[in-house]
Amino acid sequence: MTDQYQLFSKTPIGKFVIKNLGLPTPLVLERFENPSPVIKGAVLLGAAKTTTLSSTLAEVLNRIHANCYLHQSDLQQQASKVGLQATLLTEQTQNTKFKALVFDASGIEDAADLSQVYEFFHPVARQVQSSGRVIVFAKSPEKCKAVAQAVAQRALVGFVKSVGKEFKKGITAQVVYVDDGAEQNIESTFRFLLSARSAYVSGQVIRISKADVVEVNWVKPLDGKVAVVTGASRGIGEAIAHVLARDGAHVICLDVPAQQADLERVATDIQGSTLALDITATNAGEEIAKAVAALGGLDILVHNAGITRDKTLAKMTADFWNLVININVSAAERINQYLLEHNVLNPQGRIVCVSSISGIAGNLGQTNYATSKAAVIGLVQFTAPTLTNGITINAVAPGFIETQMTAAIPFAIREAGRRMNSMSQGGLPVDVAEGIAWFATAASSGLNGNVIRVCGQSLLGA
Ligand code: NAD
């Protein structure tokens, strides 16, 4: 669905009205075009202390051929060790415009040390380009031995969430907590956050734990993988199917039999296959297992199918309640159980669920939907520690995404939902799909149990 306000804001009269009324001007966000370069513009790297993590950051920046600047001279030795050609920030180069500011805060030991965050970001706060990135890598507070260190590391959430709100111009900000020993697992996340793939992800807290390091072809990170996407005939599901196929996967597009024609259209576009199936059928897991058997098993399962049946609780029928719970969560739960019990998911398999910010913030008229989407978060959190064979489960929680679902929302509520975020605009289905593709790559082995909002840093439930 088109964003009329964004189109209006580009016209001369629109610019005049918006400026005089003090309304937000939504910027057209940069989105993925090519795998290379990962980031178009200079990256400034800094660190509270040189650590194994800052060395890995330099390694990845070297691999993606980033135009890199160093904030401090003690990083020079680390950079040259990993072959990274970088320029030291000096008086001559201090006015450089940056596409990304990357700071390793893992060496911060107490609240007083947080001054290093200020010292790194303050001088360059006005030098970040549109659709730029602020990424703070940090130490998982839960794993810190000293309380003072845990407190200081936890503080970084408030910092990046404020930066996300302040910097505007489509600039995103996140904190990535890395467990000790998980430094080699950061690459897929670092690439995703630097790139235009993460256009509508901001103010997020990402947790990386130690896992097998899996090498992938970064041009086609899902090459040779078999994926099933539920609800793939339209909307977000269709975008997911396209992005997974673009990244190299064979996608089995699944939707209800009534959607067969659209399902075939999508599958033909991406040279995938179709599976007409109601996910609430008692044999849904078995049908999926049959569909992937000839393809060498299943690598990626995306639980995207979902419905809304909005009514205030007083007016809600039991049918509306039960249908939403059954489709949005119980069906996914049963399918996971069948596929895991029958070893249908290959080693390093990826399950990615689609929750919603309604499940985090709650929403008027959506007690059934918010309950189901909070249950999806529970499904991710409580399944994650039970998985073996390198299999992971994560979720994206979309905010306001421009689809048929949101087009059906009454105008005033729709306009509020669309603007109440740091990007002043709704996201696109492709933004959700990019988040799913990031979780889906085998290289994301260190991500398990994460719920990441794709909401442009919505004010709801933040
Ligand atoms: P949509 O209604 O356009 O598409 C949902 C698809 O799921 C449809 O093709 C539908 O046929 C399919 N589906 C429904 N019940 C099914 C069943 N029993 N078996 C198989 N397929 C079934 O919705 P969308 O906007 O693309 O949303 C996709 C997902 O994203 C949903 O889980 C939704 O809750 C979630 N979400 C959407 C938004 C948004 O802004 N659009 C925000 C947050 C979360």
Side-chain angles (χ1 to χ4, degrees):
M1 176 187 188
T2 45
D3 181 342
Q4 297 296 344
Y5 178 80
Q6 193 176 53
L7 294 180
F8 177 64
S9 73
K10 299 275 164 284
T11 63
I13 176 111
K15 281 183 189 150
F16 177 80
V17 171
I18 284 167
K19 191 166 169 227
N20 285 287
L21 293 180
L23 297 171
T25 318
L27 185 112
V28 177
L29 304 178
E30 283 174 22
R31 291 195 165 83
F32 176 87
E33 285 170 359
N34 285 303
S36 177
V38 171
I39 181 160
K40 291 185 199 153
V43 178
L44 178 65
L45 177 66
K49 263 189 205 147
T50 54
T51 64
T52 325
L53 191 52
S54 44
S55 172
T56 315
L57 294 173
E59 252 175 67
V60 177
L61 290 170
N62 182 44
R63 271 202 286 278
I64 67 169
H65 309 293
N67 172 15
C68 192
Y69 287 75
L70 300 177
H71 174 253
Q72 69 234 56
S73 56
D74 56 353
L75 281 171
Q76 274 178 314
Q77 208 187 349
Q78 275 194 318
S80 63
K81 244 192 210 161
V82 299
L84 174 69
Q85 304 254 339
T87 312
L88 187 65
L89 204 62
T90 57
E91 264 180 34
Q92 285 74 48
T93 55
Q94 67 183 3
N95 293 324
T96 309
K97 297 275 182 219
F98 296 106
K99 196 68 176 185
L101 305 179
V102 179
F103 188 67
D104 169 15
S106 66
I108 287 180
E109 291 186 2
D110 57 26
D113 263 1
L114 288 167
S115 60
Q116 300 203 47
V117 175
Y118 173 82
E119 282 157 21
F120 175 76
F121 286 101
H122 166 73
V124 288
R126 291 204 180 90
Q127 286 162 233
V128 186
Q129 293 169 312
S130 300
S131 286
R133 302 287 182 256
V134 169
I135 313 171
V136 176
F137 282 87
K139 197 174 162 72
S140 308
E142 302 77 16
K143 305 282 167 70
C144 291
K145 290 196 183 84
V147 171
Q149 189 180 29
V151 169
Q153 294 293 328
R154 175 63 182 81
L156 298 165
V157 177
F159 175 75
V160 295
K161 288 194 176 191
S162 300
V163 165
K165 289 179 181 178
E166 264 184 29
F167 279 24
K168 307 225 164 51
K169 296 192 299 183
I171 296 164
T172 65
Q174 348 276 344
V175 60
V176 184
Y177 285 123
V178 183
D179 283 358
D180 283 346
E183 293 82 2
Q184 290 302 319
N185 296 106
I186 66 166
E187 185 158 358
S188 73
T189 299
F190 194 20
R191 283 175 179 259
F192 172 71
L193 295 179
L194 284 175
S195 75
R197 295 174 198 250
S198 57
Y200 203 60
V201 177
S202 192
Q204 297 307 291
V205 179
I206 298 158
R207 291 170 195 278
I208 301 185
S209 43
K210 185 171 162 48
D212 290 341
V213 177
V214 185
E215 301 289 335
V216 296
N217 164 4
W218 291 108
V219 177
K220 292 252 178 224
L222 305 179
D223 206 16
K225 301 293 179 187
V226 174
V228 167
V229 178
T230 71
S233 73
R234 65 180 205 197
I236 294 174
E238 179 176 358
I240 297 168
H242 273 268
V243 169
L244 299 189
R246 177 202 73 194
D247 284 355
H250 175 89
V251 183
I252 301 176
C253 305
L254 183 157
D255 213 303
V256 288
Q259 289 291 107
Q260 180 80 45
D262 279 330
L263 208 49
E264 269 164 25
R265 173 184 54 79
V266 177
T268 308
D269 283 351
I270 60 167
Q271 295 171 334
S273 36
T274 62
L275 179 58
L277 176 70
D278 186 326
I279 53 165
T280 62
T282 45
N283 64 344
E286 211 177 325
E287 289 299 314
I288 293 173
K290 272 193 216 156
V292 299
L295 298 165
L298 180 60
D299 301 295
I300 301 158
L301 172 62
V302 184
H303 290 298
N304 161 75
I307 60 161
T308 49
R309 289 292 182 275
D310 297 356
K311 282 276 177 233
T312 54
L313 187 56
K315 289 185 188 156
M316 181 153 330
T317 63
D319 276 359
F320 268 24
W321 179 275
N322 293 330
L323 192 65
V324 167
I325 301 287
N326 197 21
I327 293 178
N328 292 6
V329 63
S330 305
E333 237 178 317
R334 282 191 298 266
I335 291 170
N336 284 358
Q337 197 178 357
Y338 183 92
L339 298 180
L340 290 167
E341 271 177 17
H342 293 81
N343 289 323
V344 179
L345 270 160
N346 291 330
Q348 294 298 336
R350 303 278 173 260
I351 305 172
V352 191
C353 301
V354 179
S355 176
S356 163
I357 56 167
S358 273
I360 296 169
N363 206 8
L364 192 150
Q366 291 199 319
T367 49
N368 54 353
Y369 183 73
T371 302
S372 74
K373 292 297 187 181
V376 168
I377 295 174
L379 182 64
V380 165
Q381 286 175 336
F382 301 116
T383 305
T386 70
L387 296 173
T388 53
N389 278 336
I391 297 170
T392 64
I393 183 167
N394 295 282
V396 292
F400 185 99
I401 305 296
E402 307 282 356
T403 62
Q404 289 187 21
M405 194 185 255
T406 46
I409 300 172
F411 174 77
I413 303 175
R414 186 169 73 226
E415 210 32 39
R418 201 181 247 160
R419 304 289 162 222
M420 276 168 50
N421 59 68
S422 297
M423 307 289 156
S424 305
Q425 59 192 286
L428 300 181
V430 70
D431 300 327
V432 181
E434 297 285 8
I436 288 173
W438 158 51
F439 282 133
T441 165
S444 290
S445 50
L447 295 163
N448 192 21
N450 277 272
V451 178
I452 300 302
R453 296 164 53 140
V454 182
C455 66
Q457 199 181 17
S458 168
L459 296 178
L460 298 177

